[in-house]
Amino acid sequence: MPGVLKDERDDGPDSTPSQAFPIKSPLMADHKPGKRTVENDQHGGSPLVNGARGGASANQTSGDPTAFKTSALENPSTQLPPEIMHITQGYLPLSELITRLVQETFNGMSAVINDMSQLQMPQVNGSAPANPPPVNVQKKLSLLEFAQDRRAKFIKILVLSQWSRQAESISRVIDLKVWLNTQNRQYDEACSWMGALKRMMALERMPNPDLKTALEALSLGKVLGLPDLGYLPPEHVSPDQLLNALRSINTQLTIRLRLHETIPPFFKSYSIRNGRATFRVSNEFEVDLSIADEDLSSQLYFVDFRFTFSPSPAELPQGRLRDDLEARVNDLLRKDGLHGCYRFLHDFVLSHKLNIFRHQAHRMLQGSWSEHLKLEAVHRSLVMQYWVTRPGGKNWIELGIRRRKLKKSSWLHKEEDEPHIGIRWFRAGKEVTDVPATINLGDLSVEAIVKQIISAHTNSIFREVGAGLREGHLYRENLLRLKHIRSNSEPLSSRLSVQFTTSQSCTIIQEPVSGRLVLLPPSLLYNRAEREINGLVSPEKAASACVAHLRAAASCDEVEHALRCYGWEVFTAMRLNQEGLKRHFGRDALSASFFKKRSWDARWLLAFTASLEGDSWWIMKLGNRGSLMDSNAALGSSVGAAIKLPSATSSIVRRELSFLELSRIEHTAAGLISQYADSKQLALQKIPHRLVKTRCDRPFSELPTLYVHLPKHPAQPSAGNPKTAKMPCFSQVVRVTFMGINKLDSYANHLVVAETDCATLRSRRLDARDGGSVIFHPTSGAFALPLRTPVGQSAIPSLLGRLSGVQRLINYVTTLQSFKIQDLSLNHFELTYATEPQDLRVKFDLDECPPRLSFRHGNPHLRIQKQLTTLLGKDDGLKHAMLLLPMTLPLMRALVAIEGAHVDNEVYISPRSAEWYQIQYQRPLYRFDMRLRRRREKFMWFVQEASLPDGKKPDARAHEQFRRMTNGQGEGWNGISPGIVASVEGVEGLLKKIDDIFQHGPTAEPAPIDEVQDYKAQKRKREDDEVVVLD
């Protein structure tokens, strides 16, 4: 295999690189008698020369013409028998070695050049010195050293490349060598197994029975052939002697220990009984010592040893451990006395306790702690890393022996100076100096120690989380409950109870095994927060923020559920990130929910925000709604304004949302929205105004009152262009107060209070308790005007309109002072305009603009009620209407009398306006008009013939009769060609005269029925469509 190298790795226990010679195998060439074999070549012949490519050169070198041919090994995969395995493991390509050397040479050359460039040549008077400086010599030496080193390595590569030309032959030799080593190893193992079997069988062999000795012993009772060593039998000791001996030993031990022995401080607790002194070390061991001689200089001897803690064996078992312990203790008692005995046994017990801890920790790994606990033994210490799967820094516990360095002269020291089992706790990679855990040395339990440390860690996390939450006003002032239950031994008993709302709380516990924080009771909202908290690297610092956001989300979720039940809609299109929340709702806002009401303006929302400083209700106006709907997460660009509800409604701790509470919030929010809309409208119209906080017992007293400074010429909105009207009777300041929401249509109710100094109105007896929409106080002259507007729309246009209506009432009362006014109120009044032959009254309803005029049943002016009402909407319409009422009264009485005389619909009266009337007779067929006109500074009625529709001609006889009257005269009327003129009082006699002529004169043939119907239709159309302009 050209270009392949074998690394220096042993293929077997007996293989060496120097033994890899090419050999002749009987499996590859014919083996003839008399020829040299492989053994002869190895032991007696000359070795083959490296680089021989064929059998000829090898045979010429060795002098043996029958040597094997190397061509038989050219294809090992086909020529080698199956017993010999071809070795391919551990080979490296020569090209890779050459590539690495070239790359290393290039990198080294670059480094040498960089180093040489950093060595600056010194300058002397601006020129190089004559003698070569040391820097130049150093550069040359570094370059030569690098070249020499590289040359040596490339020579090695050259040798390896030449050797690789024989790599195929060497590879086959290696395969054979490995196979021979394997055979030798198997032979050695077989020999070893046979020797071991022989040794084991020797123990299983039973000796032959000694029948002769047995027969002698059974028959004579003794064996004469056994030697007698002269041993004396032990003396018999009675119980009394034994008791006296034990008492004597107790006495000797008491005298020796009290007078002659220096007892260590830890052996002060001892007892003497049964001929032994028992030294007890609490929670460690008991050792029994005794004496073997009365000589005070003789040593004490080990008798027994027992552990005094659990888990441990009741006594040491017989065997090597006990024998070694006894020998070691006796040796220390002889050399160092009781001090050496204590130190050895104390150290022995500490090591044994650590072993017990280690075994208990391994048992924990086999249980529920298998994936969350990691053990490591460092010397005699035990290192336990807990919460392995949690992110962040490592947490571990070290159990080991703590020693304090003492001076050699201070052999008498305190108990805390002695070596003892100590605990080191590392939390997040940093050591905790004050470890809040104790080791029960009497009852060893490594799990209890781990639980104590984990409990301390859990309590530390909960303490930091609680401290972070108490930075907010809600938990700092105990407005919400925050309780930390601590346990020093059981982590699951430690918990942090956090109250989110008045009806919702959360309990945080930590699993001791995995370290995961668990939020109870389980819910979808809590699960999301739990995953976020458990993903934190440092929950002590960041978990409080997560709990604060969870509290805000839980509060918003509860509010959303409650408001859905009460008919509100959650506005999900508004999504503000944390930056947007802080910009519009303050830096403490953590979460927000938005709601809309169908009865409100679409631009206004009700917002609820939650934070650690308290819960708040807001009203929010949307700006560019297009950007809000297009943006997936509006950053506040679509928020026009955000106003916080007063603290009386937007409490710090949100109470349980009842219907009354939510209704109060809705009314307060609607009031703020209305006041905002009114302020914007007033600012747009440049009307001075101000919101003033007042203290009173009225509803919604937490809302301010709007004071409006009326201009001299306030705008009166109308369907067309606005008109202006003076209001000289009102004070300049008008108070607008929000009075809640109407339950029927959810409109906002406002109360407008204005004062007037009109003496005419105050002198009248005005009904102040009228059931209408305006209330008046005659003593103070104050008006109370209730207004109703949709929430979100300004009430200012309605306010100005209503004030204009009140001003119009004052103008009416002032104008109608000459009339007898009855039933005067701010929304209507009634006056008498005629007394003979009966009282005739007209009623003005001021709730509408223009005011509506109405008459009682039987009043002759009912015929022109519509025309008079239309007249009131024009300039000076009131004066004109009140002037027309007495002037048209005789005419109205005459028309009523004519209609009463013709019960068969023979007469049709059509009022074109209040000053123009048309009368048509059917029998005879005739029509004439009546118009009120001014003549010679007097109002007169002009009567003249009118043309019939469809080109019809009037009755000839009736026409002749009417023409005769135009040439005659009568009381209050006079004929003038081509008509008749009558005074206001004389028109009644004139119409009576004309009706008598048409009624009792010669009768004419009646008009056809179809003509009558056409006339009625044309009459109704003219009454509906025709508009008459007064002269």
Side-chain angles (χ1 to χ4, degrees):
M1 292 181 290
V4 179
L5 300 177
K6 180 68 172 68
D7 61 343
E8 296 180 359
R9 184 183 302 173
D10 294 343
D11 295 309
D14 300 330
S15 64
T16 58
S18 61
Q19 296 176 352
F21 295 106
I23 62 174
K24 180 180 179 181
S25 175
L27 300 175
M28 300 180 190
D30 297 333
H31 179 72
K32 298 180 180 180
K35 303 296 181 179
R36 285 194 304 159
T37 60
V38 175
E39 286 79 5
N40 295 333
D41 289 338
Q42 290 181 353
H43 300 288
S46 300
L48 295 176
V49 179
N50 288 337
R53 301 184 56 84
S57 61
N59 294 337
Q60 290 174 3
T61 304
S62 62
D64 186 2
T66 61
F68 67 93
K69 297 181 180 180
T70 58
S71 61
L73 300 176
E74 290 181 357
N75 193 354
S77 61
T78 57
Q79 298 297 331
L80 291 178
E83 291 82 1
I84 300 178
M85 181 178 63
H86 178 55
I87 304 300
T88 59
Q89 203 172 24
Y91 289 90
L92 297 175
L94 180 60
S95 59
E96 183 177 350
L97 183 60
I98 296 174
T99 303
R100 291 181 180 178
L101 181 60
V102 171
Q103 184 66 34
E104 184 181 355
T105 303
F106 176 78
N107 295 336
M109 188 63 185
S110 301
V112 170
I113 294 174
N114 292 333
D115 295 339
M116 291 172 62
S117 64
Q118 295 177 1
L119 299 176
Q120 300 297 331
M121 182 73 71
Q123 300 291 331
V124 178
N125 296 326
S127 62
N131 296 326
V135 176
N136 196 7
V137 175
Q138 186 178 356
K139 290 182 178 180
K140 294 179 180 180
L141 287 177
S142 61
L143 186 59
L144 289 175
E145 289 175 358
F146 172 75
Q148 185 178 2
D149 179 66
R150 294 292 100 186
R151 179 177 177 275
K153 291 189 176 182
F154 274 100
I155 290 175
K156 293 179 181 180
I157 289 295
L158 178 60
V159 174
L160 290 175
S161 64
Q162 293 177 355
W163 178 85
S164 65
R165 296 187 181 97
Q166 298 179 3
E168 296 181 1
S169 301
I170 297 301
S171 176
R172 288 189 284 271
V173 172
I174 290 173
D175 296 342
L176 292 174
K177 182 63 172 65
V178 171
W179 179 78
L180 288 175
N181 290 340
T182 303
Q183 298 299 318
N184 292 335
R185 185 171 61 252
Q186 292 177 357
Y187 174 77
D188 294 338
E189 290 177 355
C191 294
S192 299
W193 176 79
M194 293 175 64
L197 181 61
K198 181 179 180 181
R199 288 190 297 271
M200 288 186 297
M201 293 299 296
L203 299 177
E204 301 296 331
R205 187 181 62 182
M206 294 184 63
N208 296 327
D210 189 0
L211 299 178
K212 181 178 178 181
T213 305
L215 182 59
E216 184 179 359
L218 292 175
S219 60
L220 299 178
K222 61 181 179 179
V223 179
L224 299 177
L226 293 177
D228 188 4
L229 300 178
Y231 288 134
L232 299 176
E235 296 182 1
H236 177 70
V237 181
S238 63
D240 293 335
Q241 292 176 344
L242 181 60
L243 181 59
N244 292 332
L246 293 176
R247 288 174 178 175
S248 176
I249 294 174
N250 291 342
T251 302
Q252 293 293 332
L253 286 173
T254 303
I255 295 172
R256 182 169 178 174
L257 293 178
R258 291 188 177 183
L259 301 178
H260 302 283
E261 290 287 343
T262 301
I263 303 176
F266 309 99
F267 272 179
K268 291 297 184 181
S269 176
Y270 67 91
S271 61
I272 300 174
R273 63 171 61 89
N274 298 331
R276 62 183 70 180
T278 303
F279 295 91
R280 179 180 179 86
V281 180
S282 179
N283 296 328
E284 288 193 15
F285 62 89
E286 288 182 353
V287 60
D288 295 339
L289 305 178
S290 187
I291 57 176
D293 195 351
E294 295 182 359
D295 187 4
L296 297 177
S297 61
S298 64
Q299 72 169 74
L300 296 172
Y301 289 93
F302 175 86
V303 178
D304 199 2
F305 178 85
R306 295 173 298 277
F307 293 109
T308 59
F309 59 86
S310 63
S312 63
E315 59 181 12
L316 288 180
Q318 298 293 334
R320 181 179 177 181
L321 175 62
R322 184 181 181 89
D323 296 341
D324 291 346
L325 181 63
E326 181 177 355
R328 182 63 175 165
V329 171
N330 287 333
D331 185 59
L332 290 173
L333 286 172
R334 179 177 58 82
K335 294 179 180 180
D336 300 329
L338 292 176
H339 288 279
C341 176
Y342 168 75
R343 284 194 294 269
F344 171 73
L345 293 177
H346 178 64
D347 192 64
F348 171 72
V349 170
L350 292 182
S351 300
H352 183 58
K353 286 184 176 180
L354 288 178
N355 287 331
I356 293 176
F357 283 143
R358 188 175 293 107
H359 291 308
Q360 290 178 348
H362 281 288
R363 284 198 298 269
M364 290 174 62
L365 278 179
Q366 298 173 1
S368 59
W369 297 78
S370 58
E371 297 180 358
H372 307 282
L373 191 67
K374 185 177 180 181
L375 302 181
E376 184 178 356
V378 181
H379 301 295
R380 286 198 297 175
S381 300
L382 175 63
V383 179
M384 296 177 290
Q385 180 186 351
Y386 61 93
W387 296 350
V388 177
T389 58
R390 273 197 63 88
K394 295 182 179 180
N395 308 285
W396 71 87
I397 308 167
E398 292 185 5
L399 287 175
I401 298 176
R402 289 196 174 187
R403 300 178 185 272
R404 180 174 298 180
K405 294 183 179 180
L406 301 173
K407 297 181 180 179
K408 295 183 179 179
S409 59
S410 60
W411 60 271
L412 188 62
H413 47 268
K414 299 180 181 179
E415 183 176 357
E416 55 269 16
D417 296 336
E418 279 294 312
H420 60 281
I421 296 179
I423 304 177
R424 297 179 68 191
W425 177 25
F426 292 84
R427 186 175 64 195
K430 297 181 180 180
E431 184 176 4
V432 180
T433 56
D434 187 13
V435 181
T438 58
I439 303 176
N440 187 0
L441 298 176
D443 187 8
L444 303 181
S445 175
V446 72
E447 187 173 2
I449 297 174
V450 173
K451 285 186 176 181
Q452 289 184 56
I453 296 296
I454 292 178
S455 296
H457 199 161
T458 301
N459 291 330
S460 174
I461 294 176
F462 289 165
R463 184 168 56 253
E464 294 295 332
V465 173
L469 292 177
R470 285 191 175 90
E471 293 180 358
H473 181 75
L474 292 179
Y475 298 102
R476 184 175 61 250
E477 301 298 331
N478 295 326
L479 299 177
L480 291 178
R481 185 176 65 256
L482 179 63
K483 187 176 181 181
H484 179 198
I485 302 175
R486 297 175 177 84
S487 175
N488 297 327
S489 58
E490 185 57 45
L492 277 177
S493 300
S494 297
R495 58 191 59 208
L496 183 66
S497 180
V498 185
Q499 183 184 9
F500 288 163
T501 63
T502 55
S503 60
Q504 189 174 1
S505 299
C506 175
T507 301
I508 307 175
I509 63 174
Q510 191 168 30
E511 294 180 356
V513 178
S514 63
R516 288 181 55 84
L517 292 170
V518 180
L519 305 182
L520 299 176
S523 66
L524 183 61
L525 183 63
Y526 288 3
N527 289 341
R528 290 196 297 264
E530 183 178 318
R531 288 194 299 270
E532 183 179 356
I533 292 175
N534 289 317
L536 297 175
V537 175
S538 179
E540 296 90 344
K541 300 178 181 179
S544 59
C546 294
V547 176
H549 281 84
L550 175 61
R551 185 260 160 195
S555 184
C556 290
D557 186 69
E558 188 174 292
V559 170
E560 289 179 4
H561 178 73
L563 264 67
R564 282 194 182 98
C565 297
Y566 292 128
W568 289 76
E569 297 180 10
V570 180
F571 191 70
T572 57
M574 172 64 70
R575 296 185 182 92
L576 294 179
N577 59 8
Q578 204 64 31
E579 180 183 354
L581 284 176
K582 292 182 179 180
R583 182 164 63 250
H584 297 291
F585 302 106
R587 60 183 181 86
D588 298 322
L590 298 177
S591 182
S593 296
F594 305 95
F595 310 93
K596 63 179 181 179
K597 194 80 172 179
R598 292 186 177 180
S599 58
W600 288 10
D601 190 283
R603 297 172 297 172
W604 286 97
L605 300 176
L606 177 66
F608 173 80
T609 60
S611 67
L612 290 181
E613 298 300 324
D615 298 339
S616 303
W617 290 94
W618 302 69
I619 57 172
M620 189 176 69
K621 183 180 181 181
L622 299 180
N624 186 4
R625 297 192 63 193
S627 63
L628 172 66
M629 303 305 293
D630 298 338
S631 176
N632 194 16
L635 299 180
S637 59
S638 60
V639 178
I643 305 173
K644 186 178 180 180
L645 268 64
S647 58
T649 305
S650 182
S651 59
I652 294 179
V653 180
R654 182 185 56 77
R655 300 181 293 272
E656 185 175 357
L657 279 178
S658 62
F659 180 78
L660 295 177
E661 180 69 18
L662 184 59
S663 177
R664 182 176 182 83
I665 293 172
E666 180 183 357
H667 282 67
T668 305
L672 278 181
I673 293 173
S674 300
Q675 290 181 349
Y676 180 88
D678 294 343
S679 300
K680 287 294 183 181
Q681 183 67 28
L682 291 171
L684 184 64
Q685 297 183 6
K686 297 181 180 181
I687 300 177
H689 63 281
R690 185 175 61 175
L691 289 171
V692 180
K693 184 70 176 179
T694 57
R695 294 183 179 180
C696 56
D697 295 334
R698 64 176 176 84
F700 315 106
S701 59
E702 64 272 6
L703 294 177
T705 302
L706 179 63
Y707 288 88
V708 182
H709 191 279
L710 289 178
K712 295 181 179 180
H713 299 280
Q716 179 183 358
S718 61
N721 294 328
K723 298 181 180 180
T724 58
K726 295 183 179 180
M727 297 184 184
C729 297
F730 287 106
S731 60
Q732 290 186 343
V733 179
V734 176
R735 186 173 73 247
V736 182
T737 306
F738 177 75
M739 300 303 294
I741 300 177
N742 192 292
K743 295 182 180 180
L744 298 178
D745 51 12
S746 299
Y747 274 33
N749 295 327
H750 306 270
L751 182 63
V752 181
V753 178
E755 295 182 0
T756 180
D757 53 358
C758 180
T760 303
L761 190 62
R762 289 190 178 188
S763 61
R764 300 280 182 175
R765 297 188 61 181
L766 198 65
D767 188 2
R769 296 180 175 271
D770 185 74
S773 59
V774 182
I775 301 175
F776 175 70
H777 193 276
T779 304
S780 62
F783 287 90
L785 307 175
L787 300 177
R788 293 172 58 251
T789 57
V791 177
Q793 295 184 9
S794 175
I796 300 302
S798 300
L799 166 64
L800 298 179
R802 294 300 301 275
L803 290 179
S804 299
V806 175
Q807 179 66 42
R808 189 166 52 250
L809 169 67
I810 297 175
N811 295 336
Y812 285 175
V813 174
T814 304
T815 304
L816 303 176
Q817 293 184 23
S818 58
F819 291 92
K820 183 179 179 182
I821 301 177
Q822 297 96 2
D823 194 15
L824 177 63
S825 66
L826 294 180
N827 60 345
H828 71 272
F829 65 91
E830 191 172 10
L831 58 86
T832 303
Y833 64 89
T835 57
E836 293 180 0
Q838 60 179 357
D839 290 344
L840 297 179
R841 296 183 180 183
V842 57
K843 183 178 180 181
F844 293 86
D845 190 355
L846 304 179
D847 285 339
E848 300 180 6
C849 184
R852 186 170 57 87
L853 186 145
S854 61
F855 300 93
R856 293 183 181 181
H857 180 69
N859 193 312
H861 279 97
L862 278 174
R863 184 185 307 276
I864 58 172
Q865 176 177 326
K866 180 178 178 181
Q867 288 76 6
L868 291 175
T869 302
T870 304
L871 188 62
L872 291 178
K874 301 179 180 180
D875 295 339
D876 295 332
L878 178 63
K879 293 182 180 180
H880 197 175
M882 297 308 300
L883 182 63
L884 287 177
L885 284 176
M887 286 191 299
T888 57
L889 180 58
L891 175 63
M892 294 298 108
R893 288 199 298 262
L895 295 177
V896 170
I898 291 174
E899 286 183 340
H902 300 272
V903 295
D904 296 335
N905 294 329
E906 296 179 353
V907 178
Y908 295 98
I909 302 173
S910 175
R912 297 296 184 87
S913 68
E915 301 173 354
W916 180 16
Y917 301 88
Q918 194 173 77
I919 304 174
Q920 179 175 339
Y921 283 85
Q922 300 297 324
R923 297 179 187 178
L925 181 61
Y926 194 79
R927 179 190 290 185
F928 61 90
D929 289 342
M930 302 184 65
R931 296 175 184 265
L932 181 65
R933 295 180 179 178
R934 183 184 293 272
R935 183 186 183 192
R936 299 175 184 177
E937 300 300 329
K938 289 185 179 180
F939 284 98
M940 305 292 288
W941 288 99
F942 288 86
V943 182
Q944 61 183 0
E945 183 179 351
S947 60
L948 293 173
D950 300 333
K952 297 179 181 179
K953 294 183 179 181
D955 183 78
R957 185 170 298 182
H959 174 71
E960 183 64 24
Q961 294 291 334
F962 186 79
R963 189 184 62 80
R964 291 178 182 178
M965 290 188 65
T966 59
N967 295 325
Q969 63 179 0
E971 183 179 359
W973 61 275
N974 191 14
I976 58 174
S977 180
I980 306 172
V981 61
S983 65
V984 173
E985 294 79 8
V987 70
E988 184 175 3
L990 174 62
L991 290 179
K992 184 177 181 182
K993 179 68 176 176
I994 294 175
D995 184 68
D996 290 339
I997 293 175
F998 289 152
Q999 184 177 6
H1000 303 292
T1003 60
E1005 292 185 7
I1009 298 177
D1010 54 349
E1011 295 182 0
V1012 174
Q1013 293 178 351
D1014 292 342
Y1015 172 76
K1016 291 181 178 180
Q1018 293 178 6
K1019 176 184 177 182
R1020 286 194 298 269
K1021 182 177 180 181
R1022 285 194 299 269
E1023 289 177 351
D1024 295 337
D1025 300 336
E1026 189 171 358
V1027 177
V1028 179
V1029 180
L1030 298 179
D1031 295 337

